[in-house]
Coordinates of all heavy atoms in Angstrom, one line a residue:
M1 N 13.6 -5.5 13.3 CA 13.3 -4.2 13.9 C 12.8 -3.2 12.8 O 13.3 -3.2 11.7 CB 14.6 -3.6 14.4 CG 14.4 -2.3 15.3 SD 15.9 -1.7 16.0 CE 16.3 -0.4 14.8
T2 N 11.7 -2.6 13.1 CA 11.1 -1.7 12.2 C 11.6 -0.3 12.4 O 11.9 0.1 13.5 CB 9.5 -1.7 12.3 OG1 9.2 -1.3 13.6 CG2 8.9 -3.0 12.0
K3 N 11.6 0.5 11.3 CA 11.9 1.9 11.5 C 11.3 2.7 10.3 O 10.9 2.1 9.3 CB 13.4 2.2 11.5 CG 14.1 1.9 10.2 CD 15.6 2.3 10.3 CE 16.2 2.3 8.9 NZ 17.4 3.1 8.8
W4 N 11.1 4.0 10.5 CA 10.5 4.8 9.5 C 11.5 5.0 8.4 O 12.6 5.4 8.6 CB 10.1 6.2 10.1 CG 9.0 6.1 11.1 CD1 9.0 6.0 12.4 CD2 7.6 6.0 10.7 NE1 7.7 5.9 12.9 CE2 6.8 5.9 11.9 CE3 6.9 6.1 9.5 CZ2 5.4 5.9 11.9 CZ3 5.5 6.0 9.5 CH2 4.8 5.9 10.7
E5 N 11.0 4.8 7.2 CA 11.8 5.0 5.9 C 11.2 6.1 5.1 O 9.9 6.2 4.9 CB 11.7 3.7 5.1 CG 12.3 2.5 5.8 CD 13.8 2.4 5.8 OE1 14.4 3.2 5.1 OE2 14.3 1.6 6.5
K6 N 12.0 7.0 4.6 CA 11.6 8.1 3.7 C 11.3 7.5 2.4 O 12.3 6.9 1.8 CB 12.7 9.1 3.7 CG 12.4 10.5 3.3 CD 13.7 11.3 3.4 CE 13.4 12.8 3.5 NZ 14.6 13.6 3.6
M7 N 10.1 7.7 1.9 CA 9.8 6.9 0.6 C 9.8 7.8 -0.6 O 10.5 7.4 -1.6 CB 8.3 6.4 0.8 CG 8.2 5.4 2.0 SD 9.3 4.0 1.9 CE 8.5 3.0 0.8
C8 N 9.2 9.0 -0.6 CA 9.2 9.8 -1.8 C 8.6 11.2 -1.4 O 7.9 11.3 -0.4 CB 8.4 9.2 -2.9 SG 6.6 9.1 -2.6
P9 N 8.9 12.2 -2.2 CA 8.2 13.5 -1.9 C 6.7 13.4 -2.1 O 6.2 12.6 -3.0 CB 8.8 14.4 -3.0 CG 10.1 13.8 -3.5 CD 9.8 12.3 -3.3
V10 N 6.0 14.1 -1.2 CA 4.5 13.9 -1.2 C 3.9 14.3 -2.6 O 2.9 13.7 -3.0 CB 3.9 14.7 0.0 CG1 4.1 16.2 -0.3 CG2 2.5 14.4 0.2
E11 N 4.5 15.2 -3.3 CA 3.9 15.6 -4.6 C 4.0 14.6 -5.7 O 3.3 14.7 -6.7 CB 4.5 17.0 -5.1 CG 6.0 16.9 -5.4 CD 6.8 17.3 -4.2 OE1 6.3 17.4 -3.1 OE2 8.0 17.7 -4.4
E12 N 4.7 13.5 -5.4 CA 4.8 12.4 -6.4 C 3.6 11.5 -6.4 O 3.4 10.7 -7.3 CB 6.1 11.6 -6.2 CG 7.3 12.3 -6.5 CD 8.6 11.4 -6.5 OE1 8.4 10.1 -6.3 OE2 9.7 11.9 -6.6
I13 N 2.7 11.7 -5.3 CA 1.5 10.9 -5.2 C 0.3 11.8 -4.9 O -0.1 12.0 -3.8 CB 1.6 9.8 -4.1 CG1 3.0 9.0 -4.2 CG2 0.5 8.8 -4.3 CD1 3.2 8.0 -3.1
P14 N -0.2 12.4 -6.0 CA -1.4 13.3 -5.8 C -2.6 12.5 -5.3 O -2.6 11.3 -5.4 CB -1.6 13.9 -7.2 CG -0.9 13.0 -8.1 CD 0.2 12.3 -7.4
A15 N -3.6 13.2 -4.9 CA -4.9 12.6 -4.5 C -5.4 11.7 -5.6 O -5.4 12.1 -6.8 CB -5.9 13.6 -4.1
G16 N -5.7 10.4 -5.2 CA -6.2 9.5 -6.2 C -5.0 8.7 -6.8 O -5.2 7.8 -7.6
G17 N -3.8 9.0 -6.4 CA -2.6 8.4 -7.0 C -2.1 7.2 -6.2 O -2.5 7.0 -5.1
R18 N -1.1 6.6 -6.8 CA -0.4 5.5 -6.1 C 1.0 5.4 -6.7 O 1.3 5.9 -7.7 CB -1.2 4.2 -6.4 CG -1.2 3.8 -7.9 CD -2.0 2.7 -8.2 NE -3.4 2.9 -8.0 CZ -4.4 2.0 -8.1 NH1 -4.1 0.8 -8.5 NH2 -5.6 2.3 -7.9
K19 N 1.9 4.7 -5.9 CA 3.3 4.6 -6.4 C 3.9 3.4 -5.7 O 3.5 3.1 -4.5 CB 4.0 5.8 -6.0 CG 5.5 5.9 -6.4 CD 6.2 7.2 -6.0 CE 7.6 7.2 -6.4 NZ 7.9 7.4 -7.8
V20 N 4.7 2.7 -6.4 CA 5.5 1.6 -5.8 C 6.9 2.0 -5.5 O 7.5 2.6 -6.4 CB 5.5 0.3 -6.8 CG1 6.3 -0.8 -6.1 CG2 4.1 -0.1 -7.1
V21 N 7.3 1.9 -4.3 CA 8.6 2.3 -3.9 C 9.4 1.1 -3.3 O 8.9 0.5 -2.3 CB 8.6 3.4 -2.8 CG1 10.0 3.9 -2.4 CG2 7.8 4.6 -3.4
P22 N 10.5 0.7 -3.8 CA 11.3 -0.4 -3.2 C 11.9 0.1 -1.9 O 12.5 1.2 -1.9 CB 12.4 -0.7 -4.3 CG 12.1 0.2 -5.4 CD 11.1 1.3 -5.0
A23 N 11.9 -0.7 -0.9 CA 12.5 -0.4 0.4 C 12.7 -1.7 1.2 O 11.7 -2.5 1.2 CB 11.6 0.5 1.2
N24 N 13.8 -1.9 1.7 CA 14.1 -3.1 2.6 C 13.8 -4.4 1.9 O 13.2 -5.2 2.4 CB 13.4 -3.0 3.9 CG 13.9 -1.9 4.8 OD1 14.7 -1.1 4.4 ND2 13.4 -1.8 6.0
S25 N 14.2 -4.5 0.6 CA 13.9 -5.7 -0.2 C 12.4 -6.0 -0.4 O 12.1 -7.1 -0.7 CB 14.7 -6.9 0.3 OG 14.2 -7.3 1.5
L26 N 11.6 -5.0 -0.2 CA 10.2 -5.1 -0.5 C 9.8 -4.1 -1.5 O 10.4 -3.1 -1.6 CB 9.3 -4.9 0.8 CG 9.4 -5.9 1.9 CD1 8.7 -5.3 3.2 CD2 8.8 -7.2 1.5
D27 N 8.7 -4.3 -2.2 CA 8.0 -3.3 -3.0 C 6.8 -2.8 -2.2 O 5.9 -3.6 -2.0 CB 7.6 -3.8 -4.4 CG 8.7 -3.9 -5.3 OD1 9.8 -3.3 -5.1 OD2 8.6 -4.7 -6.3
I28 N 6.9 -1.6 -1.8 CA 5.9 -1.0 -1.0 C 4.9 -0.2 -1.9 O 5.3 0.7 -2.7 CB 6.4 0.0 0.1 CG1 7.5 -0.7 0.9 CG2 5.3 0.5 1.0 CD1 7.1 -1.9 1.7
L29 N 3.6 -0.5 -1.8 CA 2.6 0.1 -2.6 C 1.9 1.2 -1.7 O 1.4 0.8 -0.7 CB 1.6 -0.9 -3.1 CG 0.4 -0.4 -3.8 CD1 0.7 0.5 -5.0 CD2 -0.5 -1.6 -4.3
I30 N 2.0 2.4 -2.2 CA 1.5 3.5 -1.4 C 0.3 4.1 -2.2 O 0.4 4.4 -3.4 CB 2.5 4.6 -1.2 CG1 3.7 4.0 -0.4 CG2 2.0 5.9 -0.5 CD1 4.9 4.9 -0.4
F31 N -0.8 4.3 -1.5 CA -2.0 4.9 -2.0 C -2.3 6.3 -1.3 O -2.2 6.3 -0.1 CB -3.3 4.1 -1.8 CG -3.3 2.8 -2.6 CD1 -2.9 1.6 -2.1 CD2 -3.8 2.8 -3.9 CE1 -2.9 0.4 -2.8 CE2 -3.8 1.6 -4.7 CZ -3.4 0.4 -4.1
N32 N -2.7 7.3 -2.1 CA -3.2 8.5 -1.5 C -4.7 8.6 -2.1 O -4.9 8.9 -3.2 CB -2.4 9.7 -2.0 CG -3.0 11.0 -1.5 OD1 -4.0 11.0 -0.8 ND2 -2.4 12.1 -2.0
T33 N -5.7 8.4 -1.2 CA -7.1 8.4 -1.6 C -7.6 9.8 -1.7 O -8.6 10.1 -2.2 CB -8.0 7.6 -0.7 OG1 -8.1 8.3 0.6 CG2 -7.5 6.2 -0.5
G34 N -6.8 10.8 -1.2 CA -7.2 12.2 -1.0 C -7.8 12.4 0.4 O -7.8 13.5 0.8
K35 N -8.2 11.4 1.1 CA -8.6 11.5 2.4 C -7.7 10.8 3.4 O -7.5 11.2 4.5 CB -10.0 10.9 2.6 CG -11.1 11.6 1.9 CD -12.5 11.0 2.1 CE -13.5 11.7 1.4 NZ -14.8 11.0 1.5
R36 N -7.1 9.7 2.9 CA -6.2 8.9 3.7 C -5.1 8.3 2.9 O -5.2 8.2 1.7 CB -6.9 7.7 4.3 CG -7.7 8.0 5.6 CD -7.8 6.8 6.5 NE -6.5 6.2 6.9 CZ -6.3 5.2 7.6 NH1 -7.4 4.6 8.1 NH2 -5.1 4.7 7.9
W37 N -4.0 8.0 3.5 CA -2.8 7.3 2.9 C -2.8 5.9 3.4 O -3.1 5.6 4.6 CB -1.5 8.0 3.3 CG -1.4 9.4 2.7 CD1 -2.0 10.5 3.2 CD2 -0.6 9.8 1.6 NE1 -1.6 11.6 2.4 CE2 -0.8 11.1 1.4 CE3 0.2 9.1 0.7 CZ2 -0.1 11.9 0.4 CZ3 0.9 9.8 -0.3 CH2 0.7 11.1 -0.4
Y38 N -2.4 5.0 2.5 CA -2.2 3.5 2.9 C -0.9 3.0 2.3 O -0.5 3.5 1.2 CB -3.4 2.7 2.3 CG -4.7 3.0 2.9 CD1 -5.6 3.8 2.1 CD2 -5.1 2.6 4.1 CE1 -6.8 4.2 2.6 CE2 -6.4 2.9 4.6 CZ -7.2 3.7 3.9 OH -8.5 4.0 4.4
A39 N -0.3 2.1 3.0 CA 0.9 1.4 2.5 C 0.8 -0.1 2.7 O 0.4 -0.5 3.8 CB 2.1 2.0 3.2
C40 N 1.0 -0.8 1.7 CA 1.0 -2.3 1.8 C 2.1 -2.9 0.9 O 2.7 -2.2 0.1 CB -0.4 -2.8 1.4 SG -0.8 -2.7 -0.4
A41 N 2.3 -4.2 1.1 CA 3.2 -4.9 0.2 C 2.5 -5.0 -1.2 O 1.3 -5.2 -1.3 CB 3.5 -6.3 0.8
N42 N 3.3 -4.8 -2.2 CA 2.8 -4.9 -3.6 C 2.7 -6.3 -4.0 O 3.3 -6.7 -5.1 CB 3.6 -4.0 -4.5 CG 2.9 -3.9 -5.9 OD1 1.7 -4.0 -6.0 ND2 3.7 -3.7 -6.9
E43 N 2.1 -7.2 -3.3 CA 2.1 -8.6 -3.6 C 0.7 -9.2 -3.1 O 0.5 -9.2 -1.9 CB 3.2 -9.3 -3.0 CG 3.3 -10.8 -3.4 CD 4.6 -11.4 -2.8 OE1 5.7 -10.8 -2.8 OE2 4.5 -12.6 -2.4
C44 N -0.1 -9.7 -4.0 CA -1.4 -10.2 -3.6 C -1.1 -11.5 -2.8 O -0.3 -12.4 -3.2 CB -2.2 -10.5 -4.9 SG -3.8 -11.2 -4.6
P45 N -1.9 -11.7 -1.7 CA -1.7 -12.9 -0.9 C -2.3 -14.1 -1.6 O -2.1 -15.3 -1.1 CB -2.4 -12.6 0.4 CG -3.4 -11.6 0.0 CD -2.8 -10.8 -1.1
H46 N -3.0 -14.0 -2.7 CA -3.6 -15.1 -3.4 C -2.5 -15.9 -4.1 O -2.1 -16.9 -3.6 CB -4.7 -14.7 -4.3 CG -5.3 -15.8 -5.1 ND1 -5.6 -15.7 -6.4 CD2 -5.6 -17.1 -4.7 CE1 -6.1 -16.9 -6.9 NE2 -6.1 -17.7 -5.8
L47 N -2.0 -15.3 -5.2 CA -0.9 -16.0 -5.9 C 0.3 -15.1 -6.2 O 1.0 -15.4 -7.1 CB -1.5 -16.6 -7.2 CG -2.5 -17.8 -7.1 CD1 -3.1 -18.2 -8.4 CD2 -1.9 -19.0 -6.4
G48 N 0.4 -14.0 -5.5 CA 1.6 -13.2 -5.6 C 1.7 -12.2 -6.7 O 2.7 -11.6 -6.9
E49 N 0.6 -12.0 -7.4 CA 0.6 -10.9 -8.4 C 0.7 -9.5 -7.8 O 0.3 -9.3 -6.7 CB -0.6 -11.0 -9.3 CG -0.7 -12.3 -10.1 CD 0.4 -12.5 -11.2 OE1 0.7 -11.4 -11.8 OE2 0.9 -13.6 -11.3
P50 N 1.2 -8.6 -8.5 CA 1.3 -7.2 -8.0 C -0.1 -6.6 -7.8 O -1.0 -6.9 -8.6 CB 2.2 -6.4 -9.0 CG 2.2 -7.3 -10.2 CD 1.9 -8.7 -9.8
L51 N -0.2 -5.8 -6.8 CA -1.5 -5.2 -6.5 C -1.6 -3.7 -7.1 O -2.7 -3.2 -7.1 CB -1.8 -5.1 -5.0 CG -2.1 -6.4 -4.3 CD1 -2.0 -6.2 -2.8 CD2 -3.4 -6.9 -4.7
D52 N -0.5 -3.2 -7.6 CA -0.5 -1.8 -8.0 C -1.4 -1.5 -9.2 O -1.7 -0.3 -9.4 CB 0.9 -1.3 -8.2 CG 1.6 -2.0 -9.3 OD1 1.8 -3.2 -9.2 OD2 2.0 -1.3 -10.3
T53 N -1.8 -2.4 -10.0 CA -2.7 -2.1 -11.1 C -4.1 -2.4 -10.7 O -5.0 -2.2 -11.6 CB -2.3 -3.0 -12.3 OG1 -2.5 -4.4 -11.9 CG2 -0.9 -2.8 -12.8
G54 N -4.4 -2.7 -9.5 CA -5.8 -3.0 -9.0 C -6.6 -1.8 -8.9 O -6.1 -0.7 -8.6
E55 N -7.9 -2.0 -9.0 CA -8.8 -0.9 -8.8 C -9.0 -0.6 -7.3 O -9.2 -1.6 -6.5 CB -10.2 -1.3 -9.4 CG -11.2 -0.2 -9.3 CD -12.6 -0.6 -9.7 OE1 -12.7 -1.8 -10.3 OE2 -13.6 0.1 -9.5
L56 N -9.0 0.6 -6.9 CA -9.2 1.0 -5.5 C -10.6 1.5 -5.3 O -11.0 2.5 -6.0 CB -8.2 2.1 -5.1 CG -8.2 2.5 -3.6 CD1 -7.7 1.3 -2.8 CD2 -7.3 3.7 -3.4
Q57 N -11.3 0.9 -4.4 CA -12.7 1.3 -4.1 C -12.7 1.7 -2.6 O -12.7 0.8 -1.8 CB -13.7 0.3 -4.4 CG -13.8 -0.1 -5.9 CD -14.5 -1.4 -6.1 OE1 -14.6 -2.3 -5.3 NE2 -15.1 -1.5 -7.3
G58 N -12.7 3.0 -2.3 CA -12.6 3.4 -0.9 C -11.3 2.9 -0.3 O -10.2 3.4 -0.8
H59 N -11.3 2.0 0.6 CA -10.0 1.5 1.2 C -9.8 0.0 0.9 O -9.1 -0.7 1.6 CB -10.0 1.7 2.7 CG -11.2 1.2 3.5 ND1 -11.2 -0.1 3.9 CD2 -12.4 1.7 3.7 CE1 -12.3 -0.4 4.5 NE2 -13.1 0.7 4.4
V60 N -10.5 -0.4 -0.2 CA -10.3 -1.8 -0.7 C -9.7 -1.8 -2.1 O -10.2 -1.1 -3.0 CB -11.7 -2.5 -0.7 CG1 -11.6 -3.9 -1.3 CG2 -12.3 -2.6 0.7
V61 N -8.7 -2.6 -2.2 CA -8.0 -2.7 -3.6 C -8.4 -4.1 -4.1 O -8.4 -5.1 -3.4 CB -6.5 -2.5 -3.5 CG1 -5.8 -3.5 -2.7 CG2 -5.9 -2.4 -4.9
R62 N -8.7 -4.1 -5.4 CA -9.1 -5.4 -6.0 C -8.0 -5.8 -7.0 O -7.6 -5.1 -7.9 CB -10.4 -5.2 -6.8 CG -10.9 -6.4 -7.6 CD -12.1 -6.0 -8.4 NE -12.6 -7.2 -9.2 CZ -12.1 -7.6 -10.3 NH1 -11.0 -7.0 -10.9 NH2 -12.6 -8.7 -10.9
C63 N -7.4 -7.0 -6.7 CA -6.3 -7.5 -7.5 C -6.8 -7.8 -8.9 O -7.9 -8.4 -9.1 CB -5.8 -8.8 -6.9 SG -4.4 -9.5 -7.8
N64 N -6.1 -7.3 -9.9 CA -6.5 -7.5 -11.3 C -6.4 -8.9 -11.8 O -7.1 -9.3 -12.7 CB -5.6 -6.7 -12.2 CG -6.2 -5.3 -12.6 OD1 -7.4 -5.1 -12.4 ND2 -5.4 -4.4 -13.0
A65 N -5.6 -9.8 -11.1 CA -5.4 -11.1 -11.6 C -6.6 -12.0 -11.5 O -7.1 -12.6 -12.5 CB -4.2 -11.8 -10.9
H66 N -7.2 -12.1 -10.3 CA -8.3 -12.9 -10.1 C -9.4 -12.3 -9.3 O -10.4 -13.0 -8.8 CB -7.9 -14.3 -9.4 CG -6.7 -14.9 -10.0 ND1 -5.5 -14.8 -9.5 CD2 -6.6 -15.6 -11.2 CE1 -4.6 -15.4 -10.2 NE2 -5.2 -15.9 -11.3
G67 N -9.3 -11.0 -9.0 CA -10.4 -10.3 -8.4 C -10.4 -10.3 -6.8 O -11.4 -9.8 -6.3
Y68 N -9.4 -10.9 -6.2 CA -9.4 -10.9 -4.7 C -9.3 -9.4 -4.2 O -8.6 -8.6 -4.8 CB -8.3 -11.7 -4.2 CG -8.5 -13.2 -4.1 CD1 -9.2 -13.8 -5.1 CD2 -8.0 -13.9 -3.1 CE1 -9.4 -15.2 -5.1 CE2 -8.2 -15.3 -3.1 CZ -8.9 -15.9 -4.0 OH -9.1 -17.3 -4.0
K69 N -10.1 -9.2 -3.1 CA -10.1 -7.8 -2.6 C -9.4 -7.8 -1.2 O -9.6 -8.6 -0.4 CB -11.5 -7.3 -2.4 CG -12.2 -7.2 -3.8 CD -13.7 -6.7 -3.6 CE -14.3 -6.5 -5.0 NZ -15.7 -6.1 -4.8
M70 N -8.6 -6.7 -1.1 CA -7.8 -6.5 0.1 C -8.3 -5.2 0.8 O -8.3 -4.2 0.2 CB -6.3 -6.4 -0.2 CG -5.5 -7.6 0.1 SD -6.1 -9.1 -0.5 CE -5.9 -8.9 -2.3
D71 N -8.6 -5.3 2.1 CA -9.0 -4.1 2.9 C -7.7 -3.5 3.4 O -6.9 -4.1 4.2 CB -9.8 -4.5 4.1 CG -10.3 -3.4 4.9 OD1 -9.6 -2.3 4.9 OD2 -11.4 -3.5 5.5
L72 N -7.4 -2.3 2.9 CA -6.1 -1.7 3.2 C -6.1 -1.1 4.7 O -5.0 -0.8 5.2 CB -5.8 -0.6 2.2 CG -5.6 -1.0 0.8 CD1 -5.5 0.2 -0.1 CD2 -4.4 -1.9 0.7
S73 N -7.2 -1.0 5.3 CA -7.2 -0.5 6.7 C -6.8 -1.7 7.7 O -6.3 -1.4 8.8 CB -8.5 0.1 7.1 OG -9.5 -0.9 7.0
T74 N -7.0 -2.9 7.3 CA -6.7 -4.0 8.2 C -5.6 -5.0 7.6 O -5.0 -5.7 8.3 CB -7.9 -4.9 8.4 OG1 -8.4 -5.4 7.2 CG2 -9.0 -4.1 9.1
G75 N -5.5 -5.0 6.2 CA -4.6 -5.9 5.5 C -5.4 -7.2 5.2 O -4.9 -8.1 4.5
N76 N -6.6 -7.4 5.7 CA -7.3 -8.6 5.5 C -7.8 -8.8 4.1 O -8.3 -7.8 3.5 CB -8.5 -8.8 6.5 CG -8.0 -8.9 7.9 OD1 -6.9 -9.4 8.2 ND2 -8.9 -8.5 8.9
C77 N -7.8 -10.0 3.6 CA -8.4 -10.3 2.3 C -9.9 -10.4 2.6 O -10.3 -11.3 3.5 CB -7.8 -11.5 1.7 SG -8.6 -12.0 0.2
V78 N -10.8 -9.7 1.9 CA -12.2 -9.8 2.2 C -12.9 -10.9 1.3 O -14.0 -11.2 1.4 CB -12.9 -8.5 2.0 CG1 -12.4 -7.5 3.0 CG2 -12.8 -7.9 0.6
T79 N -12.1 -11.4 0.4 CA -12.6 -12.5 -0.6 C -12.4 -13.9 0.0 O -13.3 -14.7 -0.1 CB -11.8 -12.4 -1.9 OG1 -11.9 -11.0 -2.4 CG2 -12.5 -13.3 -2.9
E80 N -11.3 -14.1 0.7 CA -11.0 -15.4 1.2 C -10.4 -15.2 2.6 O -9.3 -14.7 2.8 CB -10.0 -16.2 0.4 CG -9.7 -17.6 0.9 CD -8.8 -18.4 -0.1 OE1 -9.0 -18.2 -1.3 OE2 -8.0 -19.2 0.4
A81 N -11.2 -15.7 3.6 CA -10.8 -15.5 5.0 C -9.4 -16.2 5.2 O -9.2 -17.3 4.6 CB -11.8 -16.1 5.9
G82 N -8.6 -15.6 6.1 CA -7.3 -16.2 6.4 C -6.2 -15.7 5.6 O -5.0 -15.9 5.9
L83 N -6.5 -15.0 4.4 CA -5.4 -14.4 3.7 C -5.3 -12.9 4.1 O -6.3 -12.3 4.6 CB -5.7 -14.5 2.2 CG -5.7 -15.9 1.5 CD1 -6.0 -15.7 0.0 CD2 -4.4 -16.6 1.7
G84 N -4.1 -12.4 3.8 CA -4.0 -11.0 4.1 C -2.7 -10.4 3.5 O -1.8 -11.2 3.2
V85 N -2.6 -9.1 3.3 CA -1.5 -8.5 2.8 C -0.8 -7.7 3.9 O -1.5 -7.0 4.7 CB -1.9 -7.6 1.6 CG1 -2.8 -6.4 2.0 CG2 -0.6 -7.1 0.8
P86 N 0.5 -7.7 4.0 CA 1.1 -6.8 5.0 C 0.8 -5.4 4.8 O 1.0 -4.9 3.6 CB 2.6 -7.1 4.8 CG 2.7 -8.5 4.2 CD 1.5 -8.5 3.3
I87 N 0.4 -4.7 5.8 CA 0.2 -3.2 5.7 C 1.2 -2.5 6.7 O 1.7 -3.2 7.6 CB -1.2 -2.8 6.0 CG1 -1.6 -3.3 7.4 CG2 -2.2 -3.3 5.0 CD1 -3.0 -2.7 7.9
F88 N 1.5 -1.3 6.4 CA 2.5 -0.6 7.1 C 2.0 0.8 7.6 O 1.3 1.4 6.8 CB 3.8 -0.4 6.2 CG 4.3 -1.7 5.7 CD1 4.0 -2.0 4.4 CD2 5.1 -2.5 6.4 CE1 4.4 -3.2 3.8 CE2 5.6 -3.7 5.9 CZ 5.3 -4.1 4.6
P89 N 2.4 1.2 8.8 CA 2.1 2.6 9.2 C 2.6 3.6 8.2 O 3.8 3.4 7.7 CB 2.7 2.7 10.6 CG 2.9 1.3 11.0 CD 3.1 0.5 9.8
I90 N 1.9 4.6 7.9 CA 2.3 5.6 6.9 C 2.0 7.0 7.5 O 1.0 7.2 8.2 CB 1.6 5.4 5.6 CG1 2.2 6.4 4.5 CG2 0.1 5.4 5.7 CD1 1.8 6.0 3.1
E91 N 2.9 8.0 7.2 CA 2.8 9.3 7.7 C 3.3 10.3 6.6 O 4.2 9.9 5.8 CB 3.6 9.6 8.9 CG 3.1 9.0 10.2 CD 3.9 9.5 11.4 OE1 4.8 10.3 11.3 OE2 3.6 8.9 12.5
V92 N 2.7 11.5 6.5 CA 3.2 12.5 5.7 C 3.8 13.6 6.6 O 3.0 14.1 7.4 CB 2.1 13.1 4.7 CG1 2.7 14.3 4.0 CG2 1.7 12.0 3.8
R93 N 5.0 13.9 6.4 CA 5.6 15.0 7.2 C 6.8 15.6 6.5 O 7.5 14.9 5.8 CB 6.0 14.6 8.7 CG 6.9 13.4 8.8 CD 7.1 13.1 10.3 NE 7.2 11.6 10.4 CZ 8.4 11.0 10.5 NH1 9.5 11.6 10.4 NH2 8.3 9.6 10.6
D94 N 6.9 16.9 6.7 CA 8.0 17.7 6.1 C 8.1 17.5 4.6 O 9.1 17.5 4.0 CB 9.4 17.3 6.7 CG 9.4 17.4 8.2 OD1 8.7 18.4 8.7 OD2 10.0 16.6 8.9
G95 N 6.9 17.3 4.0 CA 6.9 17.2 2.5 C 7.2 15.9 2.0 O 7.4 15.7 0.8
W96 N 7.4 14.9 2.9 CA 7.8 13.5 2.4 C 6.8 12.5 2.9 O 6.1 12.7 4.0 CB 9.2 13.2 3.0 CG 10.3 13.9 2.2 CD1 10.7 15.1 2.4 CD2 11.1 13.3 1.2 NE1 11.7 15.5 1.6 CE2 11.9 14.4 0.8 CE3 11.1 12.1 0.5 CZ2 12.9 14.2 -0.2 CZ3 12.1 11.9 -0.5 CH2 12.9 13.0 -0.9
V97 N 6.7 11.4 2.2 CA 5.9 10.2 2.7 C 6.9 9.3 3.4 O 7.9 8.9 2.9 CB 5.3 9.5 1.5 CG1 4.5 8.3 2.0 CG2 4.4 10.5 0.7
W98 N 6.4 8.9 4.6 CA 7.2 8.0 5.4 C 6.5 6.7 5.7 O 5.2 6.8 6.0 CB 7.6 8.7 6.8 CG 8.4 9.9 6.7 CD1 8.1 11.1 6.4 CD2 9.8 9.9 7.0 NE1 9.1 12.0 6.4 CE2 10.2 11.3 6.8 CE3 10.8 9.0 7.3 CZ2 11.6 11.7 6.9 CZ3 12.1 9.4 7.5 CH2 12.5 10.8 7.3
V99 N 7.1 5.6 5.7 CA 6.5 4.3 6.0 C 7.3 3.6 7.0 O 8.6 3.5 6.9 CB 6.3 3.5 4.7 CG1 5.8 2.1 5.0 CG2 5.3 4.2 3.7
K100 N 6.7 3.0 8.0 CA 7.4 2.2 9.0 C 7.4 0.8 8.5 O 6.4 0.1 8.5 CB 6.7 2.4 10.3 CG 7.5 1.9 11.5 CD 6.8 2.2 12.8 CE 7.7 1.9 14.0 NZ 7.0 2.2 15.3
I101 N 8.6 0.3 8.3 CA 8.8 -1.0 7.7 C 9.7 -1.9 8.7 O 10.7 -1.4 9.2 CB 9.6 -0.9 6.3 CG1 8.8 0.0 5.4 CG2 9.8 -2.3 5.7 CD1 9.5 0.3 4.1
Ligands
FES1 S1 -3.1 -13.2 -7.5 FE1 -4.4 -11.6 -6.8 S2 -6.3 -12.5 -7.0 FE2 -5.0 -14.0 -7.7

C-alpha cells in the first residue's frame, strides 16, 4: 500500500538542488529543477549504482557510472530499452516535500 511520506522541508532542496532521503527502506532521490520536482529510487537500473551524483539535463539524469540516462518523467531508461527506475509522485505543500511511496 502506498501513502504520502513527509520527506524534508522544502528549503532543504533549492532550485537546481537534489537530496537523498531514506524512506520505507528505500533511498529516495529528489530533484528540484526550479520548474518541476521529481522523485525516483536512488539506484541505477543498469548495475545498481546511486544516481544522486549524476548530471541532470532537463528531466533526464545521467548515471555517473556508465552513462545510462533515465527520463525522470517516465522512469524509463533512454539508453537501454526495457530498463527503468522507479519514480514516485511528489508534491510540495505546507512547506514540506511529500512523496507517495
Ligand atoms: S550503474 Fe548506472 S550506468 Fe551502469
Side-chain angles (χ1 to χ4, degrees):
M1 190 178 99
T2 59
K3 67 174 195 161
W4 288 98
E5 300 281 349
K6 202 177 196 179
M7 303 302 280
C8 65
V10 69
E11 62 266 19
E12 288 187 9
I13 314 177
R18 63 186 65 183
K19 183 179 176 77
V20 177
V21 180
N24 290 8
S25 68
L26 293 170
D27 281 338
I28 307 298
L29 173 55
I30 299 169
F31 291 97
N32 175 7
T33 69
K35 293 181 180 173
R36 275 208 58 181
W37 292 78
Y38 297 100
C40 68
N42 188 27
E43 184 175 321
C44 180
H46 177 221
L47 293 176
E49 295 294 323
L51 289 170
D52 61 298
T53 59
E55 180 186 354
L56 186 66
Q57 299 168 329
H59 55 90
V60 174
V61 63
R62 180 185 180 277
C63 180
N64 265 344
H66 313 100
Y68 278 36
K69 294 180 179 179
M70 258 48 71
D71 184 332
L72 296 173
S73 64
T74 62
N76 293 336
C77 177
V78 297
T79 309
E80 184 174 325
L83 292 182
V85 65
I87 56 171
F88 305 98
I90 185 166
E91 287 184 3
V92 174
R93 55 184 142 95
D94 303 325
W96 286 80
V97 179
W98 296 79
V99 173
K100 194 172 188 181
I101 302 170

